[in-house]
Amino acid sequence: MTPRHPLAPGRAGTASAALALVLASAAAGSPVSAAGGEGGDVPQGTVVYRTTAQFTTAGRARDLLLHPDSKKLYVGSDDLPETAEVNESGLHVLEAADGTVRSTVSQAPGPTGTLGRRAVRQLVAPLPGDGAVFVYPLRGIGTAKDGDAAAAGAWVPGGPVTDAAAGPTPSTVLVAQGSVLSEVDIATATVRRSLTLEGGERFAYDRTRGTVWFTDPGNRRTHRVDVTTFQVTASIELPPVGDGFAGFTEVDPETGAVWVGRGSSVVVHDASGKRLGTVKGGGGADTPRAAGFDAGTHEAFVVWQDTGDTSQPGSDGDGVLTVHHTRDLTEAARPAVLPGNHAQSGSAAVAVQPGGATVFVSDPAAGRITRLERATSPRIVRGPEDRTVTAGAEVSLTAQAEGTPPPTVAWQVSTDAGRTWQAVPGATAATYTFRAAAADNGRRHRAEFVNDAGVSRTVPATLTVTAADTTTGGGGTPPTPGGTASPTGGSAGGSAGGSAGGASGATVGGTGGTAPAGGALASTGTAVAFLAAGALVLTTAGWVLVRRTRPRRTG
């Protein structure tokens, strides 16, 4: 059972074990492509809940409440039969981060007011600042906070309390005693008013709309009760699924929709009673036992327990946590397996941290509480682009991805057109920089992002490497005739020692230094000057020959 009030909890091992669990849960998924990505082991942006811790410090946990003010985790517990040397019954207060026990309130008044060790079966509501209102067997209504030596409490007249919720005023609670619904004073257990229905024993209170939904599984109906008048205003027929068993009745405080667990399904109606749909999950042998809601993410969290009866088809002894969008009931996260969580020793409970980052699920059979945290598989937001460079040039490839927790990156290279990939040693930053070689031509590069929710990879980028330019480069200035060649590489024809190396910047006609590769006419300034001088002599001689053979003009 879970607390039913606006402030009650909504949403909430080793890293390798958690990753193994996530990958196992995601095995049924198919990779998909996204902008800048070619997929991975799960679709990009897939939400999963991974086990990060398990607490075994609070006996057989029956209910959970994550206090909205103090942030402490309150646990209502029974004694574990296998721990004969110690009795764990009571109200345990834990650190939500690691399960450390802050205190245990084990004493509460009996029907005559005598203090005794009491189990806590249901957590009803948080007290302002810290503490909780709770139900203890058989008809006790108690209150206590962290550090109290004993709880205050009173006993409700009538039959055993079968369900409870925060009341319409801070000083009252609503209780079900079978088919009797009552508003009861917390301090004295005095019944202020009551209503007897046809049948049932579970209900949920929608404080925002002033409505109680009281479920009668035997007659397949849920009744809407107006809290102001304490009268039934509507009755809604439930579908014939899982007749005779009701796992829970819960109201989404944001939308007012009522969720009723029946058999192996959850039936959902809106605040007016209109059927919204049915939620399935957990396999054929799993039954829905608890639900919590988070208004921030508009999500519902349902705990399914295995029956624990291995003679039933589909029974594997494991439970599951499913997450659904409250607006359309579609899956909001991959189902998270809850190993060994079955219903033989009582129903599980769930508490959800506001915002949905952390979820707590109790396992009465194993005497443990599992802490699960939300993770989102990497989503590629930027991938590397194809590049064309000359040999020897520096290349930088960049990729980025989002995810929770933040993913790590490793670059990979393929030399066979993407058929196989190898990790690039040391390339574990968002930008991978290297100097291109001729052998890199045609190679493909990609970034692989990994976190606890999965693996995503970018679309590969192809690198084209061209040979370095060893010609003049086409940008040099040709020698100009008329200068004087210098044996030391000086001026040849005035400006003949200009740029004969083109774009390489090699100097022709300089001081005789060696020109850079890829654009020099000659290896030294002296050689260039000699050629320039020879060209000048040939040019001059040709001019003389032409002049001498030209016929002389006569008067």
Side-chain angles (χ1 to χ4, degrees), residues 2-3 248 250 259 289-293 300-303 350:
T2 59
F248 63 79
E250 296 286 356
W259 293 52
R289 294 302 184 101
F293 301 90
F301 297 76
V302 181
V303 177
V350 62

Side-chain angles (χ1 to χ4, degrees), residues 500-521:
S504 68
T507 301
V508 179
T511 60
T514 301
L521 284 175

